[in-house]
Coordinates of all heavy atoms in Angstrom, one line a residue:
I1 N 0.9 -1.2 0.0 CA 0.0 0.0 0.0 C 0.9 1.2 0.0 O 1.6 1.5 1.0 CB -0.9 0.0 1.2 CG1 -1.8 -1.2 1.2 CG2 -1.7 1.3 1.3 CD1 -2.7 -1.4 2.4
T2 N 0.9 1.9 -1.1 CA 1.8 3.0 -1.2 C 1.1 4.4 -0.9 O 1.8 5.3 -0.6 CB 2.4 3.1 -2.6 OG1 1.3 3.2 -3.6 CG2 3.2 1.8 -2.9
Q3 N -0.2 4.4 -1.1 CA -0.9 5.7 -0.9 C -1.3 5.7 0.6 O -1.7 4.7 1.2 CB -2.1 5.8 -1.8 CG -1.7 5.8 -3.2 CD -3.0 5.7 -4.1 OE1 -4.1 5.6 -3.6 NE2 -2.8 5.9 -5.4
S4 N -1.2 6.9 1.2 CA -1.7 7.0 2.5 C -3.2 7.3 2.5 O -3.8 7.9 1.6 CB -1.0 8.2 3.3 OG -1.3 9.4 2.5
T5 N -3.9 6.7 3.5 CA -5.3 6.8 3.5 C -5.8 8.1 4.2 O -5.0 8.8 4.9 CB -6.0 5.7 4.3 OG1 -5.4 5.7 5.6 CG2 -5.6 4.4 3.7
K6 N -7.0 8.5 3.9 CA -7.5 9.8 4.4 C -8.1 9.4 5.8 O -8.3 8.3 6.2 CB -8.6 10.3 3.6 CG -8.1 10.8 2.2 CD -9.2 11.4 1.4 CE -10.3 10.4 1.1 NZ -11.4 10.8 0.2
Y7 N -8.3 10.5 6.6 CA -8.9 10.3 7.9 C -10.2 9.7 7.9 O -10.6 8.9 8.7 CB -8.9 11.7 8.6 CG -9.5 11.6 10.0 CD1 -8.7 11.1 11.1 CD2 -10.7 12.1 10.3 CE1 -9.2 11.1 12.3 CE2 -11.3 12.0 11.5 CZ -10.5 11.5 12.6 OH -11.0 11.4 13.8
D8 N -11.0 10.1 6.9 CA -12.4 9.5 6.8 C -12.4 8.0 6.6 O -13.2 7.3 7.2 CB -13.1 10.1 5.6 CG -13.3 11.6 5.7 OD1 -13.2 12.1 6.9 OD2 -13.6 12.3 4.7
D9 N -11.4 7.5 5.8 CA -11.3 6.1 5.6 C -11.0 5.3 6.9 O -11.5 4.3 7.2 CB -10.3 5.7 4.5 CG -10.7 6.3 3.2 OD1 -11.9 6.4 2.9 OD2 -9.7 6.5 2.4
R10 N -10.1 5.9 7.7 CA -9.7 5.3 8.9 C -10.8 5.3 9.9 O -11.1 4.4 10.7 CB -8.5 6.0 9.5 CG -7.2 5.8 8.7 CD -6.1 6.5 9.3 NE -4.9 6.4 8.4 CZ -3.8 7.1 8.6 NH1 -3.7 7.9 9.6 NH2 -2.8 6.9 7.8
A11 N -11.6 6.4 9.9 CA -12.7 6.6 10.8 C -13.8 5.5 10.5 O -14.4 4.9 11.4 CB -13.3 8.0 10.8
I12 N -14.0 5.3 9.2 CA -15.0 4.3 8.8 C -14.6 2.9 9.3 O -15.4 2.1 9.7 CB -15.2 4.3 7.3 CG1 -16.0 5.6 6.9 CG2 -16.0 3.1 6.8 CD1 -16.1 5.9 5.4
S13 N -13.3 2.6 9.2 CA -12.8 1.3 9.6 C -12.9 1.1 11.1 O -13.4 0.0 11.6 CB -11.3 1.2 9.2 OG -11.1 1.2 7.8
V14 N -12.6 2.1 11.9 CA -12.8 2.0 13.3 C -14.3 1.9 13.7 O -14.6 1.1 14.6 CB -12.1 3.2 14.0 CG1 -12.4 3.3 15.5 CG2 -10.6 3.2 13.8
L15 N -15.1 2.7 13.0 CA -16.5 2.6 13.3 C -17.1 1.2 12.9 O -17.9 0.6 13.6 CB -17.3 3.7 12.4 CG -18.8 3.7 12.6 CD1 -19.2 4.0 14.0 CD2 -19.4 4.6 11.6
G16 N -16.5 0.6 11.8 CA -16.9 -0.7 11.4 C -16.6 -1.8 12.5 O -17.3 -2.7 12.8
L17 N -15.3 -1.6 13.1 CA -14.9 -2.5 14.2 C -15.9 -2.4 15.4 O -16.3 -3.4 16.0 CB -13.5 -2.2 14.6 CG -12.4 -2.9 14.0 CD1 -11.0 -2.4 14.4 CD2 -12.5 -4.4 14.3
F18 N -16.2 -1.1 15.7 CA -17.1 -0.9 16.8 C -18.5 -1.5 16.6 O -19.0 -2.1 17.5 CB -17.1 0.6 17.1 CG -18.0 1.0 18.2 CD1 -17.6 0.8 19.5 CD2 -19.3 1.6 18.0 CE1 -18.4 1.1 20.6 CE2 -20.1 1.9 19.1 CZ -19.7 1.7 20.4
V19 N -19.0 -1.2 15.4 CA -20.4 -1.8 15.1 C -20.3 -3.3 15.1 O -21.3 -3.9 15.6 CB -20.8 -1.2 13.7 CG1 -22.1 -1.9 13.2 CG2 -21.1 0.3 13.8
F20 N -19.3 -3.9 14.6 CA -19.2 -5.3 14.5 C -19.1 -5.9 16.0 O -19.9 -6.8 16.3 CB -17.9 -5.7 13.8 CG -17.8 -7.2 13.6 CD1 -18.6 -7.9 12.7 CD2 -16.8 -7.9 14.2 CE1 -18.5 -9.2 12.5 CE2 -16.6 -9.2 14.0 CZ -17.4 -9.9 13.2
Q21 N -18.3 -5.3 16.8 CA -18.2 -5.8 18.2 C -19.5 -5.6 19.0 O -19.9 -6.4 19.7 CB -17.1 -5.1 18.9 CG -15.7 -5.4 18.4 CD -15.4 -6.9 18.7 OE1 -15.7 -7.5 19.7 NE2 -14.6 -7.5 17.7
C22 N -20.2 -4.4 18.8 CA -21.4 -4.2 19.5 C -22.5 -5.1 19.0 O -23.3 -5.6 19.7 CB -21.9 -2.7 19.2 SG -20.9 -1.6 20.2
G23 N -22.5 -5.4 17.7 CA -23.5 -6.4 17.1 C -23.3 -7.8 17.7 O -24.3 -8.4 18.1
L24 N -22.1 -8.2 17.8 CA -21.8 -9.5 18.5 C -22.2 -9.5 19.9 O -22.8 -10.5 20.4 CB -20.4 -9.9 18.3 CG -19.9 -10.2 16.9 CD1 -18.4 -10.5 16.9 CD2 -20.6 -11.5 16.4
Y25 N -21.9 -8.4 20.6 CA -22.3 -8.3 22.0 C -23.8 -8.3 22.2 O -24.3 -9.0 23.1 CB -21.7 -7.0 22.6 CG -22.1 -6.8 24.1 CD1 -21.6 -7.5 25.1 CD2 -23.1 -5.8 24.4 CE1 -21.9 -7.3 26.4 CE2 -23.4 -5.6 25.7 CZ -22.9 -6.4 26.7 OH -23.2 -6.2 28.0
L26 N -24.5 -7.6 21.4 CA -26.0 -7.5 21.5 C -26.7 -8.8 21.1 O -27.7 -9.2 21.6 CB -26.5 -6.4 20.6 CG -26.2 -5.0 21.1 CD1 -26.6 -3.9 20.1 CD2 -26.7 -4.7 22.5
S27 N -26.0 -9.6 20.2 CA -26.6 -10.9 19.9 C -26.2 -12.0 20.8 O -26.7 -13.2 20.6 CB -26.2 -11.2 18.4 OG -24.9 -11.5 18.3
S28 N -25.4 -11.7 21.8 CA -25.0 -12.8 22.7 C -26.1 -13.1 23.7 O -26.8 -12.2 24.2 CB -23.7 -12.3 23.4 OG -23.3 -13.2 24.4
T29 N -26.2 -14.3 24.1 CA -27.2 -14.7 25.1 C -26.7 -14.6 26.5 O -27.4 -14.4 27.4 CB -27.7 -16.1 24.8 OG1 -26.6 -17.0 24.8 CG2 -28.4 -16.2 23.5
H30 N -25.3 -14.6 26.7 CA -24.7 -14.5 28.0 C -23.7 -13.3 28.0 O -22.5 -13.4 28.0 CB -24.0 -15.7 28.4 CG -24.8 -17.0 28.4 ND1 -25.8 -17.2 29.3 CD2 -24.9 -18.0 27.5 CE1 -26.4 -18.3 29.1 NE2 -25.9 -18.8 27.9
R31 N -24.3 -12.1 28.0 CA -23.5 -10.9 27.9 C -22.5 -10.7 29.0 O -21.4 -10.1 28.8 CB -24.4 -9.7 27.7 CG -25.1 -9.7 26.4 CD -26.0 -8.4 26.3 NE -26.8 -8.6 25.1 CZ -28.0 -8.0 25.0 NH1 -28.5 -7.3 25.9 NH2 -28.7 -8.2 23.9
S32 N -22.9 -11.1 30.2 CA -22.0 -10.9 31.4 C -20.8 -11.7 31.4 O -19.9 -11.5 32.1 CB -22.8 -11.1 32.6 OG -23.3 -12.5 32.7
V33 N -20.7 -12.8 30.5 CA -19.6 -13.7 30.5 C -18.5 -13.2 29.5 O -17.4 -13.8 29.4 CB -20.1 -15.1 30.1 CG1 -19.0 -16.1 30.1 CG2 -21.2 -15.5 31.0
V34 N -18.8 -12.2 28.7 CA -17.8 -11.7 27.7 C -16.6 -11.2 28.4 O -16.7 -10.3 29.2 CB -18.4 -10.6 26.8 CG1 -17.4 -10.0 25.9 CG2 -19.6 -11.1 26.1
P35 N -15.4 -11.8 28.1 CA -14.2 -11.3 28.8 C -13.6 -10.1 28.1 O -12.8 -10.2 27.1 CB -13.3 -12.5 28.7 CG -13.7 -13.2 27.4 CD -15.2 -13.0 27.3
W36 N -14.0 -8.9 28.5 CA -13.6 -7.7 27.8 C -12.1 -7.5 27.7 O -11.6 -7.0 26.7 CB -14.3 -6.5 28.4 CG -15.7 -6.5 27.9 CD1 -16.8 -6.7 28.7 CD2 -16.2 -6.3 26.6 NE1 -18.0 -6.7 27.9 CE2 -17.6 -6.4 26.6 CE3 -15.6 -6.0 25.4 CZ2 -18.4 -6.3 25.5 CZ3 -16.4 -5.9 24.2 CH2 -17.8 -6.0 24.3
P37 N -11.3 -7.8 28.7 CA -9.9 -7.6 28.6 C -9.3 -8.5 27.5 O -8.4 -8.0 26.7 CB -9.3 -8.0 30.0 CG -10.4 -7.8 30.9 CD -11.7 -8.1 30.1
T38 N -9.8 -9.7 27.3 CA -9.3 -10.6 26.2 C -9.7 -10.0 24.9 O -8.9 -10.0 23.9 CB -9.9 -12.0 26.4 OG1 -9.6 -12.5 27.7 CG2 -9.4 -12.9 25.3
V39 N -10.9 -9.4 24.8 CA -11.4 -8.8 23.5 C -10.5 -7.7 23.2 O -10.0 -7.5 22.0 CB -12.9 -8.4 23.6 CG1 -13.3 -7.6 22.4 CG2 -13.7 -9.7 23.8
I40 N -10.2 -6.8 24.1 CA -9.4 -5.6 23.9 C -8.0 -6.0 23.5 O -7.4 -5.4 22.6 CB -9.5 -4.7 25.1 CG1 -10.9 -4.1 25.2 CG2 -8.5 -3.6 25.0 CD1 -11.2 -3.4 26.5
V41 N -7.4 -6.9 24.2 CA -6.0 -7.4 23.9 C -6.0 -8.0 22.5 O -5.1 -7.8 21.7 CB -5.5 -8.4 24.9 CG1 -4.2 -9.1 24.5 CG2 -5.3 -7.6 26.2
G42 N -7.0 -8.8 22.1 CA -7.1 -9.4 20.8 C -7.2 -8.3 19.7 O -6.5 -8.4 18.7
L43 N -8.0 -7.3 19.9 CA -8.1 -6.2 18.9 C -6.7 -5.5 18.8 O -6.3 -5.1 17.7 CB -9.2 -5.2 19.3 CG -10.6 -5.8 19.1 CD1 -11.6 -4.8 19.7 CD2 -10.9 -6.0 17.6
F44 N -6.1 -5.3 20.0 CA -4.8 -4.6 19.9 C -3.7 -5.4 19.2 O -3.0 -4.9 18.4 CB -4.3 -4.3 21.4 CG -2.9 -3.7 21.4 CD1 -2.7 -2.4 21.1 CD2 -1.8 -4.5 21.8 CE1 -1.5 -1.8 21.1 CE2 -0.5 -4.0 21.8 CZ -0.4 -2.6 21.5
I45 N -3.7 -6.7 19.4 CA -2.8 -7.6 18.7 C -3.1 -7.6 17.2 O -2.1 -7.6 16.4 CB -2.8 -9.0 19.3 CG1 -2.2 -9.0 20.7 CG2 -2.1 -10.0 18.4 CD1 -2.3 -10.3 21.4
Q46 N -4.3 -7.6 16.8 CA -4.7 -7.5 15.4 C -4.2 -6.2 14.8 O -3.6 -6.3 13.7 CB -6.2 -7.6 15.3 CG -6.7 -7.5 13.9 CD -8.3 -7.5 13.8 OE1 -8.9 -7.5 14.8 NE2 -8.8 -7.4 12.6
Q47 N -4.3 -5.1 15.5 CA -3.8 -3.9 14.9 C -2.3 -3.8 14.9 O -1.7 -3.3 13.9 CB -4.3 -2.7 15.8 CG -5.8 -2.5 15.7 CD -6.3 -2.2 14.3 OE1 -5.8 -1.4 13.6 NE2 -7.4 -2.9 13.9
A48 N -1.6 -4.4 15.8 CA -0.2 -4.5 15.8 C 0.3 -5.3 14.7 O 1.3 -4.9 14.0 CB 0.3 -5.0 17.2
I49 N -0.3 -6.4 14.4 CA 0.1 -7.3 13.3 C -0.1 -6.5 12.0 O 0.7 -6.6 11.0 CB -0.6 -8.6 13.3 CG1 0.0 -9.5 14.5 CG2 -0.4 -9.4 12.0 CD1 -0.8 -10.7 14.8
A50 N -1.3 -5.9 11.9 CA -1.6 -5.1 10.6 C -0.6 -4.0 10.4 O -0.1 -3.8 9.3 CB -3.0 -4.6 10.7
F51 N -0.2 -3.3 11.4 CA 0.8 -2.3 11.3 C 2.1 -2.9 10.9 O 2.8 -2.3 10.0 CB 0.9 -1.6 12.7 CG 2.0 -0.5 12.6 CD1 1.7 0.8 12.1 CD2 3.2 -0.7 13.1 CE1 2.6 1.8 12.0 CE2 4.2 0.3 13.1 CZ 3.9 1.5 12.5
F52 N 2.5 -4.0 11.5 CA 3.8 -4.6 11.1 C 3.8 -5.1 9.6 O 4.8 -4.8 8.9 CB 4.0 -5.9 12.0 CG 5.2 -6.7 11.7 CD1 6.5 -6.1 11.8 CD2 5.1 -7.9 11.2 CE1 7.6 -6.9 11.5 CE2 6.2 -8.7 10.9 CZ 7.5 -8.2 11.0
V53 N 2.7 -5.6 9.2 CA 2.6 -6.1 7.8 C 2.5 -5.0 6.8 O 3.2 -5.0 5.8 CB 1.4 -7.1 7.6 CG1 1.2 -7.4 6.2 CG2 1.7 -8.3 8.4
L54 N 1.7 -4.0 7.1 CA 1.4 -2.9 6.1 C 2.4 -1.8 6.1 O 2.6 -1.1 5.1 CB 0.0 -2.4 6.3 CG -1.1 -3.3 6.1 CD1 -2.5 -2.7 6.5 CD2 -1.2 -3.9 4.7
K55 N 3.1 -1.6 7.2 CA 4.0 -0.5 7.2 C 5.5 -0.8 7.2 O 6.3 0.1 7.2 CB 3.7 0.4 8.5 CG 2.3 0.9 8.6 CD 2.2 2.0 7.5 CE 0.8 2.7 7.6 NZ 0.6 3.7 6.6
T56 N 5.9 -2.1 7.3 CA 7.3 -2.4 7.3 C 7.6 -3.4 6.1 O 6.7 -4.3 5.8 CB 7.7 -3.1 8.6 OG1 7.1 -4.3 8.8 CG2 7.5 -2.2 9.8
G57 N 8.7 -3.3 5.5 CA 9.1 -4.2 4.5 C 9.3 -5.6 5.0 O 9.0 -6.6 4.3
A58 N 9.9 -5.7 6.2 CA 10.1 -7.0 6.7 C 8.8 -7.8 7.0 O 8.7 -9.0 6.7 CB 10.9 -6.9 8.0
G59 N 7.8 -7.1 7.5 CA 6.5 -7.7 7.8 C 5.9 -8.1 6.5 O 5.3 -9.3 6.4
F60 N 6.0 -7.3 5.5 CA 5.4 -7.7 4.2 C 6.1 -8.9 3.6 O 5.5 -9.8 3.1 CB 5.5 -6.5 3.2 CG 4.8 -6.8 1.9 CD1 3.5 -6.8 1.7 CD2 5.6 -7.1 0.8 CE1 2.9 -7.0 0.5 CE2 5.0 -7.4 -0.4 CZ 3.7 -7.4 -0.6
S61 N 7.4 -8.9 3.7 CA 8.2 -10.1 3.2 C 7.9 -11.4 3.9 O 7.8 -12.4 3.3 CB 9.7 -9.8 3.3 OG 10.0 -8.7 2.5
V62 N 7.8 -11.3 5.3 CA 7.4 -12.5 6.1 C 6.1 -13.0 5.7 O 5.9 -14.2 5.4 CB 7.5 -12.1 7.6 CG1 6.8 -13.2 8.4 CG2 8.9 -11.9 8.0
F63 N 5.1 -12.2 5.5 CA 3.8 -12.7 5.2 C 3.7 -13.1 3.7 O 2.9 -14.0 3.4 CB 2.7 -11.7 5.6 CG 2.3 -11.8 7.0 CD1 3.0 -11.2 8.0 CD2 1.2 -12.6 7.4 CE1 2.7 -11.3 9.3 CE2 0.9 -12.8 8.7 CZ 1.6 -12.1 9.7
K64 N 4.5 -12.5 2.9 CA 4.5 -12.9 1.5 C 5.1 -14.3 1.4 O 4.6 -15.2 0.7 CB 5.3 -11.9 0.6 CG 5.3 -12.2 -0.8 CD 6.0 -11.1 -1.6 CE 6.0 -11.4 -3.1 NZ 6.7 -10.4 -3.8
W65 N 6.2 -14.6 2.2 CA 6.8 -15.9 2.2 C 5.8 -16.9 2.8 O 5.7 -18.0 2.3 CB 8.1 -15.8 3.0 CG 8.6 -17.2 3.3 CD1 9.4 -17.9 2.5 CD2 8.5 -17.9 4.5 NE1 9.7 -19.1 3.1 CE2 9.2 -19.1 4.3 CE3 7.9 -17.7 5.7 CZ2 9.3 -20.1 5.3 CZ3 7.9 -18.7 6.7 CH2 8.6 -19.9 6.5
L66 N 5.1 -16.5 3.8 CA 4.1 -17.4 4.5 C 3.0 -17.7 3.5 O 2.5 -18.9 3.4 CB 3.6 -16.8 5.7 CG 2.7 -17.6 6.6 CD1 3.4 -18.8 7.1 CD2 2.2 -16.8 7.8
A67 N 2.6 -16.8 2.7 CA 1.5 -17.0 1.7 C 2.0 -18.0 0.6 O 1.2 -18.9 0.2 CB 1.0 -15.7 1.1
A68 N 3.2 -17.8 0.2 CA 3.8 -18.7 -0.8 C 3.9 -20.1 -0.3 O 3.6 -21.1 -1.0 CB 5.1 -18.2 -1.3
L69 N 4.3 -20.2 0.9 CA 4.5 -21.5 1.6 C 3.1 -22.2 1.7 O 3.0 -23.4 1.4 CB 5.1 -21.4 3.0 CG 5.5 -22.6 3.7 CD1 6.6 -23.3 3.0 CD2 5.9 -22.3 5.1
T70 N 2.1 -21.5 2.1 CA 0.8 -22.0 2.3 C 0.2 -22.4 0.9 O -0.4 -23.5 0.8 CB -0.2 -21.0 2.9 OG1 0.4 -20.6 4.2 CG2 -1.6 -21.5 3.1
C71 N 0.4 -21.6 -0.1 CA 0.0 -22.0 -1.5 C 0.6 -23.3 -1.9 O -0.1 -24.1 -2.5 CB 0.3 -20.8 -2.4 SG -0.4 -21.0 -4.0
D72 N 1.9 -23.4 -1.7 CA 2.6 -24.7 -2.1 C 2.0 -25.9 -1.3 O 1.8 -26.9 -1.9 CB 4.1 -24.6 -1.9 CG 4.8 -23.6 -2.8 OD1 4.2 -23.3 -3.9 OD2 5.9 -23.2 -2.5
F73 N 1.8 -25.7 -0.1 CA 1.2 -26.8 0.8 C -0.1 -27.2 0.3 O -0.4 -28.4 0.2 CB 1.2 -26.3 2.2 CG 0.6 -27.3 3.2 CD1 1.3 -28.4 3.5 CD2 -0.7 -27.1 3.6 CE1 0.7 -29.3 4.4 CE2 -1.3 -28.0 4.5 CZ -0.5 -29.1 4.9
L74 N -1.0 -26.2 -0.1 CA -2.3 -26.5 -0.5 C -2.3 -27.2 -1.9 O -3.1 -28.0 -2.2 CB -3.2 -25.2 -0.6 CG -3.5 -24.7 0.8 CD1 -4.2 -23.3 0.7 CD2 -4.3 -25.7 1.6
N75 N -1.4 -26.7 -2.8 CA -1.2 -27.4 -4.1 C -0.8 -28.8 -4.0 O -1.3 -29.7 -4.7 CB -0.2 -26.6 -4.9 CG -0.8 -25.3 -5.5 OD1 -2.0 -25.2 -5.6 ND2 0.0 -24.4 -5.8
Q76 N 0.1 -29.1 -3.1 CA 0.5 -30.5 -2.9 C -0.6 -31.3 -2.3 O -0.8 -32.5 -2.7 CB 1.8 -30.6 -1.9 CG 3.0 -30.0 -2.6 CD 4.2 -30.1 -1.7 OE1 4.1 -30.5 -0.5 NE2 5.3 -29.5 -2.1
G77 N -1.4 -30.8 -1.4 CA -2.5 -31.5 -0.9 C -3.6 -31.7 -1.9 O -4.2 -32.8 -2.0
A78 N -3.8 -30.8 -2.8 CA -4.8 -30.9 -3.9 C -4.3 -32.0 -4.8 O -5.1 -32.8 -5.3 CB -5.0 -29.6 -4.6
Q79 N -3.0 -32.1 -5.1 CA -2.5 -33.1 -6.0 C -2.6 -34.5 -5.4 O -2.8 -35.5 -6.1 CB -1.0 -32.8 -6.3 CG -0.8 -31.6 -7.2 CD 0.7 -31.3 -7.4 OE1 1.6 -31.9 -6.8 NE2 1.0 -30.3 -8.1
F80 N -2.5 -34.6 -4.1 CA -2.7 -35.8 -3.4 C -4.2 -36.3 -3.5 O -4.4 -37.5 -3.7 CB -2.3 -35.7 -1.9 CG -2.4 -36.9 -1.1 CD1 -1.5 -38.0 -1.3 CD2 -3.4 -37.1 -0.2 CE1 -1.7 -39.2 -0.5 CE2 -3.6 -38.2 0.5 CZ -2.7 -39.3 0.4
F81 N -5.1 -35.4 -3.3 CA -6.5 -35.8 -3.2 C -7.2 -35.9 -4.6 O -8.2 -36.6 -4.7 CB -7.3 -34.8 -2.3 CG -7.1 -35.1 -0.8 CD1 -6.3 -34.3 0.0 CD2 -7.6 -36.3 -0.3 CE1 -6.1 -34.5 1.3 CE2 -7.4 -36.5 1.1 CZ -6.7 -35.7 1.9
F82 N -6.8 -35.0 -5.5 CA -7.6 -34.9 -6.8 C -6.7 -35.4 -7.9 O -5.5 -35.4 -7.9 CB -8.0 -33.5 -7.0 CG -8.9 -32.9 -5.9 CD1 -8.4 -31.9 -5.1 CD2 -10.1 -33.4 -5.7 CE1 -9.2 -31.4 -4.1 CE2 -10.9 -32.9 -4.6 CZ -10.4 -31.9 -3.8
S83 N -7.3 -35.7 -9.0 CA -6.6 -36.1 -10.2 C -6.0 -34.8 -10.9 O -6.4 -33.7 -10.6 CB -7.5 -36.8 -11.2 OG -8.5 -35.9 -11.7
A84 N -5.1 -35.0 -11.8 CA -4.5 -33.9 -12.5 C -5.4 -33.1 -13.4 O -5.2 -32.0 -13.7 CB -3.3 -34.4 -13.4
D85 N -6.5 -33.8 -13.8 CA -7.6 -33.1 -14.6 C -8.3 -32.0 -13.8 O -8.7 -31.0 -14.4 CB -8.6 -34.1 -15.1 CG -8.0 -35.1 -16.0 OD1 -6.9 -34.9 -16.6 OD2 -8.5 -36.2 -16.1
V86 N -8.4 -32.1 -12.5 CA -9.1 -31.2 -11.7 C -8.3 -30.0 -11.4 O -8.7 -28.9 -11.3 CB -9.6 -31.9 -10.4 CG1 -10.3 -30.9 -9.5 CG2 -10.5 -33.0 -10.8
I87 N -7.0 -30.2 -11.2 CA -6.1 -29.2 -10.7 C -5.6 -28.3 -11.9 O -5.1 -28.8 -12.9 CB -4.8 -29.8 -10.0 CG1 -5.3 -30.6 -8.8 CG2 -3.9 -28.7 -9.5 CD1 -4.2 -31.4 -8.2
V88 N -5.8 -27.0 -11.7 CA -5.4 -26.0 -12.7 C -4.4 -25.1 -12.1 O -4.7 -24.5 -11.1 CB -6.6 -25.2 -13.3 CG1 -6.1 -24.2 -14.3 CG2 -7.6 -26.1 -13.9
D89 N -3.2 -25.0 -12.7 CA -2.2 -24.1 -12.1 C -2.4 -22.7 -12.5 O -2.8 -22.3 -13.5 CB -0.8 -24.5 -12.5 CG -0.4 -25.8 -11.8 OD1 -0.8 -26.0 -10.7 OD2 0.4 -26.6 -12.4

């Protein structure tokens, strides 16, 4: 991502996270059991990983390598389970 985002785009993303979390909370049958510290730490870790991947070259390289490794693994699994006629490279 080479272009910087506008403030409006970031605000919409944060609002979307808030609406999503509130929707899940409101649809829960046992609202008092929700471990809010765990939810907050999970959201923080998600943002930290996103920052690492999107803003650093090393993070992008690590996840690009991980994606290639996963793709190779899935292709080998597909070759094991399916015939060559089904698999398209």
